[in-house]
Amino acid sequence: MSKLEMKDISIEFPGVKALDDVEFTTESSRVHALIGANGAGKSTLMKVLAGSYTHYTGEIYIDGKKCPIANPRDAQELGVQIVYQEVDTALVPYLSVAENILLNELVLIKEKNRIINWTDIYKRAQVILDDLKLAINSKVLVSELSLAEKQMVLIARAISFKCKYLILDEPTAPLSNSETKELFRIVNELKRKDVAIIFISHRLPELFEICDDITIMRDGKFVAQKLIKETSQAEIVELMLGRKMGDQFPARTVEIGETLFEVIELSDADYLKDISFEVKRGEIIGISGLVGAGKTELCKTLFGEYQMKSGQLKLAGKPIKNTSPNRAVKNKLAFVPEERRKEGILVEESITTNTSVVNLTKFCQLKTFLNFSGERKNAQSIVDQLSVKAPSIHAQVKNLSGGNQQKVAIGKWLTVDSEIYIFDEPTKGVDVGAKKDIFELIVQLAAEGKGIIYATCEFPEILGLTDRTYVMYDGQIVKEVVTNTVDEEQLLYYSTGGN
């Protein structure tokens, strides 16, 4: 039995104290949930443990022995491994699965100018994959894998390095139900091997399914640690937010107007087939379906990132052609993509830059000079309106929590006079408090007469937010329903091909 203790951990960044005397304790053969609202400090705490942040104060103990962690290698030597939410950034796509799993070892071999025994490398990596009962060939290139398989490769890499403490940061966010079940099987397998798993997630129901313990954080501070079987979702939410949650979905007085946006027999070159639907003014329509149904492909085709092979789009009765995202913006469409860090924000830029980038002409004088004062006022207005937690509007977006990054990704479109807003999984990796803020913004946009397309595999969000829902399966719309006439079971039935 191995025990990890983090005591009085504090860390500061310019303008903000991210952690304030935080306590965290876990043991081997336990799955320990770490939860808190976006900006609570949970990811920061785990980055301290993983050696990514070294300017912290406080102490870390393993089995009662003080263990300073000054870099990621120190953490790895102590058996601490982390699998981040953005799996693509942690893997080398043009290398094989085996090379990615044993990457650290290959680097050491190269540093010592030794000859690599490729047969041995592939064999050893395959043993690790087989031990986890993963049907992945170690010789396949990572670029050929699905997102779920890439995540499994990262877990395989972690346990190849004598992992004692495995940190999983939002591991189920991009996964389908079946892929989540496979991940849970792996977690339970590691638990039986005496590995301690630290599980960061905003999906409360799955925490009660897989976790033994839970630690709740709020505003950079430790709030409580409990046995999962001795608490409830309602209590956890209250501890996270410091108040009772109330209704998550805003009340609406639905005033539906005339047809605003029409999609007529849209097909692309690869997957989408004869898709037709309409959005009326003030209406929130859901695009529902499981992972892989074609929701993201549809959203990107509507926005001009993917090209239509056939079909027609109409806005207010007039045909439009979205041959590129630039043309789509000019045609008054806005798009909040699923992969915010890759496609929705400029991570190295400030909040100010991100909130003006889609409409720079609004802040240009004489079409040449940027009005910095106007740009800053706009950024501050969006930060205030969406309750973005940041030290200032000059903060780099990469340093914000996931939920606050998503608010910036959405907020930038408030500077543009759009008629149609497309949201693709907008609450992915977002806590319950930030979700409510996002829902309220969407309802406000609909109340202003905008048309909303809300694509998600989260059935409760479809049921709580939308007026009508189009269910997708295998690249097609298989069912249209008035949302308040169906339940989750029926949506799942249609999403799996039932009719």
Side-chain angles (χ1 to χ4, degrees):
M1 178 71 70
S2 182
K3 186 175 183 179
L4 167 72
E5 298 173 277
M6 303 180 76
K7 297 183 177 182
D8 301 323
I9 303 296
S10 296
I11 192 169
E12 293 189 25
F13 297 98
V16 61
K17 189 164 189 175
L19 297 175
D20 188 2
D21 291 334
V22 175
E23 308 281 328
F24 180 80
T25 304
T26 193
E27 298 177 346
S28 57
S29 300
R30 308 282 291 180
V31 183
H32 196 126
L34 179 60
I35 195 166
N38 290 115
K42 53 193 183 297
S43 292
T44 302
L45 182 66
M46 290 300 100
K47 286 180 179 179
V48 168
L49 181 59
S52 297
Y53 293 150
T54 59
H55 62 289
Y56 66 92
T57 60
E59 297 173 337
I60 299 171
Y61 294 86
I62 294 180
D63 297 331
K65 181 182 177 182
K66 187 176 177 180
C67 300
I69 297 177
N71 53 58
R73 182 163 289 185
D74 283 350
Q76 291 169 5
E77 291 292 341
L78 292 167
V80 176
Q81 296 281 349
I82 185 167
V83 176
Y84 291 108
Q85 183 178 347
E86 291 83 15
V87 296
D88 283 315
T89 62
L91 294 168
V92 185
Y94 54 81
L95 295 183
S96 68
V97 169
E99 289 170 286
N100 274 276
I101 290 175
L102 299 174
L103 190 60
N104 293 332
E105 186 172 333
L106 289 171
V107 170
L108 290 174
I109 293 173
K110 186 176 180 181
E111 288 176 352
K112 295 178 180 179
N113 293 319
R114 293 179 180 174
I115 296 174
I116 297 173
N117 184 336
W118 288 108
T119 301
D120 182 58
I121 292 294
Y122 290 127
K123 184 178 180 180
R124 286 168 52 202
Q126 195 64 55
V127 167
I128 296 169
L129 294 167
D130 292 345
D131 190 45
L132 292 174
K133 299 180 177 64
L134 295 173
I136 301 174
N137 189 321
S138 66
K139 295 183 179 180
V140 171
L141 292 180
V142 161
S143 59
E144 298 176 24
L145 301 181
S146 69
L147 194 59
E149 289 172 327
K150 291 175 183 177
Q151 192 173 64
M152 300 307 175
V153 169
L154 282 176
I155 293 174
R157 177 199 288 176
I159 67 168
S160 74
F161 212 74
K162 297 180 180 178
C163 178
K164 294 167 62 179
Y165 303 95
L166 177 63
I167 306 162
L168 299 177
D169 189 2
E170 293 287 350
T172 63
L175 303 186
S176 66
N177 290 338
S178 60
E179 290 167 341
T180 296
K181 288 180 180 178
E182 176 66 5
L183 174 68
F184 286 180
R185 182 191 67 77
I186 298 294
V187 168
N188 284 320
E189 187 76 21
L190 294 174
K191 182 179 173 180
R192 284 190 289 270
K193 296 177 184 294
D194 294 330
V195 176
I197 296 97
I198 302 169
F199 201 95
I200 302 175
S201 177
H202 292 301
R203 295 179 171 179
L204 296 184
E206 68 187 22
L207 300 184
F208 284 80
E209 181 178 348
I210 193 68
C211 297
D212 303 297
D213 311 288
I214 186 166
T215 290
I216 301 108
M217 295 180 63
R218 184 173 69 245
D219 297 332
K221 297 180 180 180
F222 169 86
V223 175
Q225 179 174 329
K226 294 177 173 288
L227 292 174
I228 203 84
K229 64 184 179 182
E230 295 179 356
T231 187
S232 66
Q233 291 189 41
E235 182 184 20
I236 289 171
V237 169
E238 190 172 339
L239 289 169
M240 283 173 57
L241 302 179
R243 55 181 168 80
K244 291 187 180 297
M245 181 64 188
D247 292 332
Q248 190 171 18
F249 299 102
R252 296 180 62 204
T253 302
V254 181
E255 295 183 8
I256 305 299
E258 73 278 7
T259 297
L260 179 60
F261 185 62
E262 296 172 84
V263 179
I264 305 168
E265 297 182 352
L266 178 151
S267 297
D268 68 0
D270 301 312
Y271 195 55
L272 304 176
K273 296 180 281 288
D274 296 326
I275 289 177
S276 297
F277 66 90
E278 65 177 16
V279 187
K280 295 178 168 53
R281 285 195 179 275
E283 186 177 35
I284 303 173
I285 70 140
I287 303 293
S288 180
L290 303 178
V291 172
K295 302 185 302 297
T296 293
E297 289 81 358
L298 174 59
C299 291
K300 290 187 174 183
T301 302
L302 295 176
F303 197 63
E305 184 175 345
Y306 296 165
Q307 295 304 304
M308 292 172 54
K309 181 181 178 181
S310 61
Q312 189 177 32
L313 306 179
K314 288 184 178 181
L315 183 68
K318 297 180 180 179
I320 60 172
K321 291 185 178 181
N322 294 338
T323 53
S324 68
N326 181 54
R327 175 52 56 185
V329 173
K330 289 182 178 178
N331 285 332
K332 299 199 170 187
L333 272 73
F335 178 40
V336 179
E338 178 180 13
E339 298 296 330
R340 58 175 169 263
R341 286 182 66 89
K342 290 173 64 177
E343 302 172 335
I345 52 176
L346 302 171
V347 293
E348 299 292 336
E349 299 295 338
S350 67
I351 295 173
T352 301
T353 298
N354 272 273
T355 50
S356 63
V357 70
V358 294
N359 193 13
L360 280 175
T361 55
K362 178 179 179 180
F363 306 102
C364 285
Q365 298 172 327
L366 304 176
K367 297 184 179 181
T368 304
F369 302 102
L370 195 61
N371 180 352
F372 294 109
S373 175
E375 193 184 28
R376 289 192 296 270
K377 287 179 181 177
N378 172 72
Q380 191 62 58
S381 173
I382 290 171
V383 164
D384 294 341
Q385 183 178 348
L386 301 185
S387 301
V388 178
K389 289 185 179 180
S392 78
I393 59 173
H394 306 294
Q396 285 183 304
V397 173
K398 69 178 181 181
N399 294 326
L400 304 183
S401 67
N404 287 303
Q405 288 178 0
Q406 185 70 326
K407 288 181 180 181
V408 172
I410 295 171
K412 70 182 182 184
W413 291 110
L414 301 182
T415 65
V416 185
D417 183 24
S418 300
E419 292 286 355
I420 299 295
Y421 287 80
I422 306 169
F423 295 88
D424 186 12
E425 300 288 358
T427 62
K428 177 179 172 181
V430 172
D431 72 77
V432 289
K435 281 182 183 179
K436 188 171 184 180
D437 292 339
I438 291 170
F439 296 152
E440 287 176 347
L441 174 62
I442 290 171
V443 167
Q444 177 187 328
L445 290 170
E448 293 171 1
K450 310 298 184 183
I452 311 295
I453 299 172
Y454 192 94
T456 183
C457 59
E458 300 289 345
F459 296 144
E461 295 181 11
I462 289 287
L463 295 173
L465 195 64
T466 68
D467 301 306
R468 288 184 301 116
T469 298
Y470 295 90
V471 184
M472 291 192 69
Y473 173 76
D474 197 24
Q476 301 178 75
I477 287 177
V478 295
K479 188 71 175 179
E480 176 191 353
V481 297
V482 176
T483 307
N484 63 12
T485 66
V486 295
D487 57 23
E488 285 191 51
E489 186 177 349
Q490 289 170 293
L491 288 178
L492 180 58
Y493 174 70
Y494 298 131
S495 297
T496 52
N499 56 53

